[in-house]
Amino acid sequence: MLGSANGAQRASLRDSTVPVANRSRSLVLAVVLAALLVSLIAVPAEASTRPTVRIPTLATLSVTAAPRYWWPEEMFYLSLVNCTRTGGWVQSNGTCKGYGSGRYSAYVAPLRHAATMSDLVSRPYARLMATKNICTHFYGGTPIDRMHRAGYTSITNWGENIGCRTASYAKTAVLASHLFFQSEKSTNGGHWRNMKNPAFHWVGIGVWKYGTQVRLVVDFNA
């Protein structure tokens, strides 16, 4: 529409019967309209060069081993996951009923602890989530991205469970997270399937507490 109006205005300037003052005003108006048209055309080009906001990329997260401040809680979690995995059932007080019996679910061989993966993958990510007060599998990439950055480039079969709790004691939060994972038996939820997957043989475990924020990261792999 701007183009059509501008063209009509230029045609009227060629009419000799229009007074000079009116022609001057018309000329000024034409210049203004032309400038407006140019500015409207230029805006999209300028907008396309504006920076966009992106989530953190892989390069923003470095691989740094996290200290084993909550090693006892990590070993406690290993006992919990292997209780459930071998067909036992973790009680509300943290004890295991029927370890290795296959009584409460099909027996699956217990997981072996991957200490180096815990140091380089699971615990650093638990620390990051606790200190930033976030709960996601995908900050700075996917779980397999974190494994690859730590040197586990041949892993193709993997899974990850995370627990995010507010608690005064890390052990309390770890138990609560596991009881939630275990409760998914009735729905065959993703946490339950990871714990019972016979294709997984190793597990990295990371626990970190920051204030009252407690994060548990469990990385399963073959």
Side-chain angles (χ1 to χ4, degrees), residues 85-171:
R85 184 174 170 89
T86 61
W89 197 255
V90 174
Q91 307 298 294
S92 59
N93 63 0
T95 60
C96 178
K97 187 175 182 179
Y99 183 97
S101 66
R103 176 180 176 185
Y104 298 94
S105 64
Y107 174 88
V108 181
L111 294 161
R112 288 171 285 180
H113 184 239
T116 304
M117 176 173 282
S118 299
D119 292 341
L120 298 179
V121 180
S122 310
R123 196 177 306 113
Y125 194 62
R127 177 175 61 181
L128 182 148
M129 288 198 295
T131 55
K132 290 185 176 294
N133 192 19
I134 59 175
C135 185
T136 175
H137 291 282
F138 306 112
Y139 188 92
T142 65
I144 192 63
D145 290 331
R146 293 191 287 277
M147 294 178 192
H148 285 174
R149 281 199 299 272
Y152 295 94
T153 56
S154 62
I155 289 179
T156 57
N157 192 9
W158 59 273
E160 181 177 80
N161 289 349
I162 61 174
C164 305
R165 299 275 168 170
T166 299
S168 298
Y169 300 98
K171 186 175 182 179

Side-chain angles (χ1 to χ4, degrees), residues 9 12-13 15-28:
Q9 185 63 40
S12 68
L13 290 175
D15 189 346
S16 60
T17 62
V18 178
V20 173
N22 288 342
R23 286 198 301 246
S24 298
R25 285 194 296 270
S26 298
L27 180 60
V28 170

Side-chain angles (χ1 to χ4, degrees), residues 36-50:
L36 178 60
L37 178 61
V38 171
S39 67
L40 289 174
I41 294 172
V43 166
E46 293 174 356
S48 67
T49 63
R50 294 173 184 169

